[in-house]
Amino acid sequence: MPTNVTAEYLAAEEEYRNAKTIPEKIRALEKMYATVPKHKGTEKLRLQIKRRLAELRKELEKQRQMRKSGGGPSMAVRKEGAAQIVLAGLPNVGKSSLLRALTNVDVDVADYAFTTVKPIPGMMHHKDVQIQLVEVPGLVEGAALGKGMGPQLLSVVRNADAIAIVVDLSQDPIRQMEVLLREFERAGIKVNKRRPRVEIKRTAMGGIVINGQENIKGDIQEVMKMLREERIHSAEITVKEPVTLEEFADAIDESLVWRRAIIIANKGDAPGSRENYERLVKAYGDRFKIIPISAKKGINLEKLKDELYDLAGIIRVFTKSPGEEPAYPPVALKKGSTVMDLAERIHKDFAKNFRYARVWGKSVKFPGQRVGADHVLEDGDIVEIHAR
């Protein structure tokens, strides 16, 4: 035990010892992690707390799945369109009004909490593609620990491609963000953070081989212990960048998901909204892109559509046959997609018999340039595929 822990840490540790339920243990461990001094002498302690939190989160999810197997309504929303983005926020922040304004979906709108009781999808048409927006019923403090339908709702958030966090500028936006980010973290959702570049290839035999071991800043025995806890007994692991033990733990934790997010600052026409917007930008402007709007009055919605399109992480690619004009509508692909990804999307025969492609657009040096299957495409490219 470090000799210089704070009184707050000792109180949280006592709370953990007295905890009876998993949610109580998680709350206590979160306090311990937040109050433990951060220096080299406490590195292992911080790692132990973080690993225990991960174990409890998995245990809590396992219990939820067991209860779910006994029946009950499903909150899952089937993905449609080029990407799925969830609108997540506390109750009564204007998510329903926003969904209706962006998608024209028929949804109940009222000035009281919990008008929406299940996820509602709608399709936003923008820049020639369809993006699915899903309104998630209001999240509350303790949602990830089982309050209300919180775990089911957060499962919808985990499954989405990206998150649009909706806050109400007529209320304290800082508290709203604190609650939401805490629940996301508890649910294993890493928001606007990058997964550490640790590549794991499981093998049938041969034990653990670690390439780039010099990039691990910490005791290698702790690394081996973590791998055993994750039931990784035979694998080739490549550490491609310097990582701390905690970052390595995140990289191998398969229960974590990593999602891009923006903040939609709604009710920008309300009294006091300017001051609250400035506070929000000061607190979170470095980590999130923040778009001030008024769903009720339709203010700044076109700008928001552009930002949601960027958040979706997609590109539009037009296809054409030799001697013909580009076909419409375009094919929506994830950023970083190649010509072969496009060929596979069109038809398996194009991929199987692929010879080469000609491309017009930003990804090539001159119009009609001949490229191979691994050529990376950009938004607005026109592609002509030649197959055997």
Side-chain angles (χ1 to χ4, degrees), residues 77-92:
V77 178
R78 185 168 64 90
K79 289 186 176 182
E80 296 180 350
Q84 184 188 81
I85 300 175
V86 293
L87 304 178
L90 300 189
N92 206 30

Side-chain angles (χ1 to χ4, degrees), residues 23 63 78 114 126 133 184 212 231 269 276 281 304 312 316 327:
Q63 290 182 3
R78 185 168 64 90
F114 305 110
H126 191 60
L133 304 182
F184 291 156
R231 295 185 174 86
D269 56 319
N276 279 334
V281 170
L304 175 58
R316 301 159 301 164

Side-chain angles (χ1 to χ4, degrees), residues 151-356:
Q152 292 93 320
L153 300 179
L154 286 164
S155 180
V156 177
V157 178
R158 283 175 60 93
N159 189 56
D161 298 309
I163 307 168
I165 301 173
V166 186
V167 300
D168 178 355
L169 288 180
S170 71
Q171 306 293 328
D172 182 357
I174 307 303
R175 179 190 169 277
Q176 294 173 60
M177 287 298 299
E178 288 172 349
V179 170
L180 291 168
L181 292 180
R182 182 162 54 245
E183 297 308 317
F184 291 156
E185 187 71 23
R186 284 171 170 169
I189 304 169
K190 296 287 187 180
V191 180
N192 278 5
K193 294 180 180 179
R194 181 176 60 80
R195 183 190 293 274
R197 295 179 62 216
V198 177
E199 184 180 278
I200 302 173
K201 292 182 179 178
R202 292 180 184 258
T203 55
M205 59 185 68
I208 299 295
V209 177
I210 302 179
N211 304 314
Q213 187 172 313
E214 67 279 2
N215 283 327
I216 300 174
K217 301 177 183 178
D219 187 352
I220 196 65
Q221 295 307 314
E222 288 292 332
V223 169
M224 301 305 290
K225 181 181 177 182
M226 281 189 270
L227 292 170
R228 287 194 299 270
E229 289 173 352
E230 289 292 328
R231 295 185 174 86
I232 301 174
H233 303 294
S234 185
E236 181 179 359
I237 298 170
T238 305
V239 185
K240 297 183 176 181
E241 65 181 354
V243 293
T244 64
L245 290 177
E246 289 184 58
E247 289 169 339
F248 187 89
D250 283 345
I252 66 172
D253 188 347
E254 294 179 350
S255 71
L256 300 179
V257 295
W258 309 73
R259 297 290 179 262
R260 296 177 63 223
I262 60 172
I263 298 174
I264 302 174
N266 194 21
K267 304 186 184 180
D269 56 319
S273 61
R274 179 180 292 275
E275 293 78 7
N276 279 334
Y277 173 71
E278 290 172 354
R279 291 177 59 219
L280 186 65
V281 170
K282 184 176 180 180
Y284 292 100
D286 291 340
R287 182 176 169 189
F288 294 89
K289 186 170 287 186
I290 304 172
I291 303 91
I293 68 154
S294 170
K296 189 175 182 179
K297 294 189 175 180
I299 298 172
N300 215 25
L301 293 187
E302 287 304 312
K303 166 69 172 174
L304 175 58
K305 288 180 180 181
D306 288 339
E307 296 296 346
L308 289 169
Y309 176 86
D310 288 342
L311 179 66
I314 55 178
I315 59 172
R316 301 159 301 164
V317 177
F318 295 85
T319 60
K320 69 181 291 293
S321 298
E324 296 183 7
E325 291 297 311
Y328 183 88
V331 178
L333 299 169
K334 289 184 178 180
K335 282 184 179 178
S337 292
T338 64
V339 168
M340 181 53 69
D341 293 323
L342 175 64
E344 290 173 345
R345 175 70 69 83
I346 298 170
H347 197 281
K348 61 181 180 181
D349 287 344
F350 275 101
K352 183 180 178 181
N353 300 312
F354 179 86
R355 291 173 56 211
Y356 66 91

